[in-house]
Amino acid sequence: MTEHTRRNVLRGAAAIAAAGGLVGTGDGSQPAVAAPLETATRRFPFLEGAFKPVTEELTAFDLPVTGRIPRELNGRYLRNGPNVLGLEDPRAHHWMLGEGMVHGVRLREGRAEWYRNRWVRSSQVAKKLGEPYPGPVPPDDFPNNTHVIPYRGRILALQESGPLPYELDDELNTVGTYDFRGTLKGPLTAHTKYDVHAGELHAIAYYPTWDHVRHLVVDPTGRVSRTTKIPVADAPMIHDFALTEKHVVILDMPVTFDPAAAERGDIVPYIWNRKHPARVGVLPRAGGAGRWFEVDPVYYSHTLNAYEEGSDIVIDMTNFDAPFYVAGRGSAGPYGADTARLDRWTIDLRHGRVRTKTLDDRPQEFPRVNETLVSRRHRYGYSAAAADMTLAYLTADGNPPDRAFSNALIKHDLLRGTSQVHRLPRDAAASEAVFVPSDPNDPKAAEDDGYAIAYVHNPDRGASDLVILAAQDFTGEPVARIHLPGRVPLGFHGSWIPDA
């Protein structure tokens, strides 16, 4: 049997194009089907509209602004996402495998100094752009497209299930892979959790040939100080996880690796596996035996945050109803049975059960919290509703509800059970909103004393704006709209990287 590395998965995409377009259904109960040879009448929503890839790397200085940029915002807002490069056949594409492109705006003293967008220079991207790739090619090399985070003065572009992080410099040029001073042996994750109180970076890493997942702890010296292997069946996809002050929470859901799909060259060889039990694992952060709790199957998408409350662990997260087809159904991206919603799961450690509750059933994704509260109790969360994303994720034979056509940014008050919605115009697709504290060094500052910032498509200009909202006046006019010279396609995750 072929070793199923990310590189082999990517090779499978080329084989699909050559073979006339075999596309896996993403459903373990059905065989692969042939895609139509004629693509002129087919829709590929992840290559169109708000998802349409950009074709150039741009650099622009002294960006025009409507409103006033808060002078305390000194740093860079960066966001990563798939931006396919050199695609010859849409049938051989899946959105989540597009080459990573990081979009960034530099703010200083009330000015928007620059905008840049740059592809992450993996060996494949360097070759496509006709550039040299320095040094040997690492195993499972990939232009990481999912997240970009600051870590101890570095900027890291992240991906799950194989590739090392790629380090970028302050102007988004690729420096090279980063392995935490030689201590990272194997994959990391796209969704690390940084506990500012402990100075620790945590990850749950998975890989298609492993019979386990790994909990990794990077200590305050910047080294992987502990690796714990947790046995799991069927090689599940574990895209995100949750961290509390004392525990690590693993979400083991029925999206699993399918060796047969990999052998026949499916673009994304992960299926909805009805035979795989849905469960939640709770492990002590300090090490030791964990506990597992069965839950009804869903596809969790992202965790907002988690914390302890007595003998309970509370997790806020976005979920899709079962089944969820990561590999899609010929659409070049994933499909869900319904729209994503914001849920709360409470793990009752004393009685050994999990209580679930829907907090907000409006379509929304990419929940974020004030990052200083990761693993501690939070009150507020921020999420995005983008009509293009909601409609692209819905099943082909579904009838989308009216609410699926909304564009908005949402602030949740999870203490009062209320929300505020900053509504956006039609075709003004919003990316993830990241919270930036007004003064991260003020221990007395209110949790929502700061700004929510997001890239939002401006249909009047045919380009994007970086929108800055005052979190305590969330429904009011934006504090500032920074007008970018081009589009920022809908993508994944980003971070505010303050000046040192």
Side-chain angles (χ1 to χ4, degrees), residues 108-429:
R108 180 155 42 195
E109 298 298 327
R111 295 174 51 237
E113 288 192 345
W114 54 250
Y115 162 80
R116 287 179 167 86
N117 63 314
R118 297 291 186 270
W119 274 290
V120 177
R121 258 55 172 192
S122 67
S123 58
Q124 307 102 298
V125 169
K127 182 178 180 180
K128 289 181 179 181
L129 295 175
E131 301 173 358
Y133 182 82
V137 176
D140 296 307
D141 189 33
F142 187 75
N144 298 344
N145 68 18
T146 309
H147 209 341
V148 55
I149 65 168
Y151 181 70
R152 297 176 59 84
R154 302 176 188 271
I155 299 171
L156 303 179
L158 303 182
Q159 189 83 18
E160 64 202 71
S161 186
L164 290 171
Y166 261 99
E167 182 181 353
L168 311 178
D169 68 16
D170 288 346
E171 296 185 342
L172 309 189
N173 302 302
T174 301
V175 176
T177 55
Y178 183 69
D179 60 5
F180 295 91
R181 301 168 67 183
T183 62
L184 177 60
K185 308 298 183 182
L188 191 65
T189 181
H191 287 287
T192 54
K193 310 292 181 188
Y194 183 72
D195 182 341
V196 299
H197 305 278
E200 294 177 345
L201 188 74
H202 290 251
I204 295 293
Y206 73 94
Y207 198 70
T209 59
W210 289 353
D211 60 0
H212 62 275
V213 296
R214 297 177 184 177
H215 172 219
L216 308 175
V217 181
V218 183
D219 67 22
T221 72
R223 297 175 179 271
V224 177
S225 60
R226 188 169 74 249
T227 299
T228 303
K229 296 181 179 181
I230 303 106
V232 295
D234 304 324
M237 174 181 284
I238 298 185
H239 178 63
D240 202 351
F241 71 106
L243 184 73
T244 71
E245 187 174 357
K246 298 178 181 178
H247 296 94
V248 179
V249 182
I250 299 174
L251 301 162
D252 179 8
M253 297 296 121
V255 174
T256 65
F257 179 70
D258 181 9
E263 288 290 350
R264 68 177 174 252
D266 284 12
I267 302 174
V268 180
Y270 280 83
I271 61 169
W272 182 262
N273 184 351
R274 294 183 176 90
K275 297 179 180 179
H276 184 85
R279 59 182 191 157
V280 178
V282 177
L283 290 82
R285 266 177 62 162
R291 297 173 62 187
W292 290 97
F293 305 83
E294 291 190 3
V295 293
D296 291 334
V298 298
Y299 180 72
Y300 76 96
S301 182
H302 299 99
T303 60
L304 188 156
N305 194 31
Y307 58 88
E308 275 127 10
E309 190 173 58
S311 61
D312 292 344
I313 294 175
V314 179
I315 311 169
D316 293 336
M317 58 205 292
T318 47
N319 288 329
F320 291 85
D321 284 337
F324 186 84
Y325 305 106
V326 175
R329 292 189 164 184
S331 66
Y335 266 130
D338 203 346
T339 57
R341 62 183 181 272
L342 183 65
D343 285 349
R344 171 166 289 182
W345 288 10
T346 303
I347 305 172
D348 183 340
L349 297 177
R350 180 178 299 172
H351 298 100
R353 62 190 181 191
V354 179
R355 302 188 301 272
T356 63
K357 176 183 178 181
T358 294
L359 300 175
D360 191 335
D361 65 356
R362 285 172 294 193
Q364 58 196 283
E365 251 286 29
F366 305 137
R368 296 296 293 262
V369 71
N370 182 331
E371 296 290 308
T372 64
L373 295 175
V374 168
S375 78
R376 302 310 197 263
R377 183 165 187 157
H378 61 278
R379 173 175 177 176
Y380 299 106
Y382 305 85
S383 57
D388 283 62
M389 181 168 291
T390 300
L391 295 170
Y393 268 53
L394 286 173
T395 53
D397 55 354
N399 295 311
D402 290 342
R403 60 187 182 174
F405 294 86
S406 298
N407 292 302
L409 297 172
I410 306 171
K411 176 187 177 181
H412 298 276
D413 184 334
L414 299 164
L415 177 63
R416 293 184 176 178
T418 61
S419 63
Q420 294 177 298
V421 180
H422 187 92
R423 303 189 186 281
L424 297 164
R426 184 180 178 87
D427 298 325

Side-chain angles (χ1 to χ4, degrees), residues 72 382 435-439 446-452 469-473:
E72 62 265 34
Y382 305 85
F435 178 81
V436 182
S438 294
D439 183 357
E447 180 184 332
D448 62 344
D449 183 0
Y451 305 93
L469 303 179
Q472 294 181 338
D473 184 23

